[in-house]
Amino acid sequence: MTTYYTKDHEWIRVEGDTGTVGITTYAAGQLGDVVYVELPETGAKLARGDDFAVVESVKAASDVYAPVSGSVLEVNSALSDAPETVNAAAEGGAWFVRVKLADAAELSGLMDEAAYAAFCEGL
Amino acid sequence: MRYLPLTCEDRASMLATIGAKSADDFYADVPQSARLKTKIAGLPDHQGELAVERYMTKLAAKNRSASSGPFFVGAGAYKHHVPATVDMIIQRSEFLTTYTPYQPEIAQGTLQTLFEFQTQVAALTAMDVANASMYDGSTACAEAAVMAARVTKRKKVILSGGLHPHYAAATRLLCEAQGLTVVQLTVAIDGEGELARSVDGETACVIGQSPNVFGTVSDLSGVAKSAHDKGALLVSVFTEAVSLGLVTPPGEMGADIAAGEGQSIGNGLNFGGPYVGLFACREKLVRQMPGRLCGETVDADGKRGFVLTLSTREQHIRRDKATSNICTNSGLCALAFTSHMTLLGGKGLKQLAELNHEAACELADALGALKGVEMLTPRFFNEFAIRTPVDAEAVLAMLDEAGVVGGVRASRLFPGDHMGDVILVAATECTTAEDIAAYAAALKEII
């Protein structure tokens, strides 16, 4: 199980050909209190870089981009009723979607935990 | 706002500063081919104030005011009584001069009236939540269609044969620009139920109207059920808001979005505009709703206050992904609506609706009793369609000579649909027994 990060502050935790996607603790902190999460439908096809979800806080509404291509296996519908989970457990319980990876090679373009930490440090 | 005229010296100094010889230099980039070579024929040179006033007065005298005699025009715009109080309230400078302010919370009075407006519209339509208004009924209808497409992620919109053609045109324009397919059902006086048979698994929404453009009142519950069975939404449209005092409101028929015209309450005919669009939906759809939304809250001291809420749907935050490009609503018309509705109350609205229906029944009896006049609308609120034995355009022209504005010929709204002998006729609380007698007498002479 390996976790990768994007410059748009998404994380993806990969097990076999399945990835779990969410936004990072850093992103959730920058957004402030999250009040709404709009998720895609199960079965939706995502291309890398697609905006597939929207996260809305009291300050802003931001798109969430697909770190890799794939199809949506499951969405975390619990976020609709409890969007504040994103602030409490951004990289845990507040995952957005599980996707079936279309091309595992795409992962090589992402950052690992240390690289992402350094990236955030420089912001 | 003060008017600050410029002197010739001011102009010369401004031109010198930017290095232009005259104001004509500003248009140097407009290609010669796009410029007028000569004066516009028939357009006179500028005139003095007195001459202009004389000329305009003469022009204005050609208008016939809706209040100046028997008047039976409806079909989307209705002549209702507007109490003097409404004008008095909307002309208060605190209200009259406020656009939706850029720091909206500074104008608590404006926000409070918009909040009350939303509350009234939600109650009137029996929906959960209403926005702070749209431009008019037709754009509200169009926005409902594209909202349904966002909600369902589908691309087909079906319009009933009784939807006002202006609403249909506005809806087609907005939908087709967004890549949606619009299916228009055949024009029908009593055909809203056809929507139930047309809806399929690709349909984002069906749009029905009650009372429809021919005045027919329909129960859309069956349409709602069929739409929901296929995963589509029902948009329930109305052009006559007063009807909601008597007929079953959209929410009680299972509509997901209600869209209509609010001109009838508190607003005059205004030569066709500005009007005020009413827009309401189910609470679970509110994130996809267009337009501004005012909310009630408490301030730091626990006192009641009003704010704009769910603004992240709007274009100043969401830019191109906003739920709509509408940012300024019809605030003043909405205020007039709310002022009148507050005066009426629920009971008053019902009584007003009853007066309208009674006047229309008397009119229908009087016209229907004439030999050769056929009543086409099976169930109506305050307007209906009649067939005359003579061409409707000729009938209306002759009625006009007799001082009666007899309605709208259907062929104006539906050219090419064989409606040359059909007239849409409306009555309101302003219609008197004398007006009705004058109409019947004049029509009897003509046919």
Side-chain angles (χ1 to χ4, degrees):
Chain A
M1 195 165 75
T2 319
T3 306
Y4 301 87
Y5 297 85
T6 71
K7 287 185 175 168
D8 299 312
H9 307 286
E10 292 89 14
W11 54 265
I12 176 167
R13 193 164 297 135
V14 180
E15 271 183 289
D17 63 352
T18 306
T20 305
V21 181
I23 66 166
T24 64
T25 307
Y26 175 86
Q30 291 294 308
L31 281 168
D33 293 342
V34 172
V35 293
Y36 182 68
V37 178
E38 186 185 309
L39 296 169
E41 308 251 322
T42 304
K45 297 263 181 289
L46 310 179
R48 184 174 56 166
D50 276 358
D51 46 345
F52 73 94
V54 180
V55 57
E56 194 180 307
S57 72
V58 291
K59 281 198 286 190
S62 308
D63 291 322
V64 182
Y65 302 97
V68 292
S69 308
S71 55
V72 177
L73 297 171
E74 195 185 346
V75 302
N76 187 1
S77 43
L79 292 182
S80 312
D81 293 327
E84 64 278 6
T85 321
V86 176
N87 296 105
E91 296 185 32
W95 56 277
F96 281 34
V97 292
R98 289 193 212 285
V99 294
K100 188 173 167 60
L101 306 189
D103 179 9
E106 286 177 349
L107 294 168
S108 62
L110 303 175
M111 290 177 274
D112 63 14
E113 192 173 351
Y116 178 67
F119 171 73
C120 289
E121 198 71 14
L123 292 175
Chain B
M1 195 185 289
R2 272 177 299 172
Y3 173 57
L4 300 169
L6 298 173
T7 63
C8 294
E9 288 74 29
D10 292 333
R11 285 200 184 85
S13 128
M14 288 161 77
L15 287 169
T17 304
I18 60 170
K21 282 195 205 65
S22 76
D24 289 337
D25 289 359
F26 303 160
Y27 303 102
D29 293 333
V30 177
Q32 286 298 331
S33 61
R35 300 193 199 189
L36 289 173
K37 303 282 179 300
T38 53
K39 287 181 183 174
I40 297 172
L43 188 69
D45 278 336
H46 62 275
Q47 305 272 314
E49 193 175 306
L50 183 58
V52 170
E53 193 180 291
R54 258 190 217 123
Y55 180 74
M56 297 304 280
T57 306
K58 216 153 70 181
L59 274 188
K62 291 185 177 178
N63 287 328
R64 187 193 294 169
S65 145
S67 311
S68 64
F71 181 83
F72 299 91
V73 170
Y78 304 88
K79 162 92 185 81
H80 288 286
H81 173 63
V82 178
T85 323
V86 171
D87 257 356
M88 185 269 175
I89 291 170
I90 69 169
Q91 288 190 36
R92 285 188 63 103
S93 62
E94 302 92 326
F95 280 135
L96 189 62
T97 58
T98 49
Y99 208 60
T100 322
Y102 289 102
Q103 188 194 341
E105 283 72 26
I106 211 164
Q108 283 292 307
T110 297
L111 291 193
Q112 180 172 342
T113 55
L114 290 177
F115 182 78
E116 288 170 7
F117 170 84
Q118 292 168 188
T119 307
Q120 290 168 344
V121 173
L124 200 59
T125 54
M127 303 298 288
D128 299 327
V129 54
N131 72 13
S133 81
M134 310 296 286
Y135 293 127
D136 62 13
S138 72
T139 54
C141 176
E143 294 269 10
V146 295
M147 172 177 160
R150 286 194 301 272
V151 168
T152 59
K153 301 189 169 72
R154 296 178 181 180
K155 288 182 173 288
K156 186 158 113 184
V157 171
I158 304 178
L159 313 180
S160 86
L163 181 66
H164 195 297
H166 295 171
Y167 287 43
T171 304
R172 266 196 304 278
L173 186 69
L174 194 59
C175 285
E176 288 173 0
Q178 299 198 7
L180 308 179
T181 306
V182 178
V183 178
Q184 170 71 63
L185 301 185
T186 313
V187 174
I189 289 172
D190 186 15
E192 302 304 307
E194 193 56 39
L195 289 170
R197 285 176 282 283
S198 311
V199 63
D200 60 22
E202 321 258 271
T203 310
C205 69
V206 292
I207 305 186
Q209 183 180 329
S210 176
N212 72 12
V213 69
F214 299 102
T216 307
V217 176
S218 304
D219 179 1
L220 299 177
S221 314
V223 174
K225 192 178 175 308
S226 301
H228 296 158
D229 285 349
K230 303 278 186 192
L233 305 187
L234 167 64
V235 176
S236 183
V237 170
F238 53 90
T239 58
E240 171 53 291
V242 173
S243 70
L244 296 172
L246 276 188
V247 306
T248 309
E252 286 177 23
M253 297 191 289
D256 303 281
I257 305 173
E261 177 54 63
Q263 172 266 327
S264 283
I265 298 174
N267 288 276
L269 287 165
N270 295 349
F271 295 93
Y275 282 5
V276 50
L278 311 184
F279 194 103
C281 69
R282 302 268 176 223
E283 190 176 355
K284 63 174 184 194
L285 306 180
V286 67
R287 293 269 166 186
Q288 291 299 339
M289 187 166 76
R292 313 222 96 167
L293 201 55
C294 291
E296 188 187 10
T297 186
V298 287
D299 68 9
D301 301 325
K303 289 192 204 135
R304 184 185 190 220
F306 299 90
V307 290
L308 287 186
T309 190
L310 295 178
S311 298
T312 41
R313 299 168 298 112
E314 294 186 63
Q315 64 177 357
H316 63 288
I317 293 178
R318 284 291 270 157
R319 303 288 172 181
D320 56 318
K321 287 178 179 151
T323 52
S324 167
N325 290 319
I326 188 166
C327 47
T328 302
N329 52 46
S330 298
L332 196 68
C333 297
L335 173 66
F337 177 102
T338 289
S339 305
H340 192 186
M341 190 61 104
T342 304
L343 292 169
L344 284 169
K347 209 168 122 194
L349 178 73
K350 184 161 182 282
Q351 286 170 343
L352 177 63
E354 282 165 0
L355 286 175
N356 275 259
H357 186 55
E358 282 162 18
C361 288
E362 280 164 30
L363 179 64
D365 288 345
L367 301 186
L370 301 175
K371 200 160 170 269
V373 173
E374 188 190 346
M375 177 74 183
L376 299 176
T377 303
R379 305 165 300 278
F380 60 82
F381 168 63
N382 71 349
E383 63 183 323
F384 50 82
I386 55 171
R387 177 171 284 136
T388 53
V390 205
D391 175 66
E393 192 166 4
V395 170
L396 288 171
M398 285 187 275
L399 283 171
D400 190 41
E401 278 169 32
V404 175
V405 183
V408 177
R409 64 183 163 87
S411 57
R412 260 183 76 174
L413 295 171
F414 300 100
D417 279 308
H418 308 291
M419 294 222 170
D421 54 0
V422 177
I423 304 176
L424 309 178
V425 187
T428 70
E429 76 284 357
C430 296
T431 310
T432 64
E434 292 76 37
D435 292 341
I436 293 172
Y439 195 164
L443 188 56
K444 192 176 176 187
E445 284 295 307
I446 293 164
I447 57 176

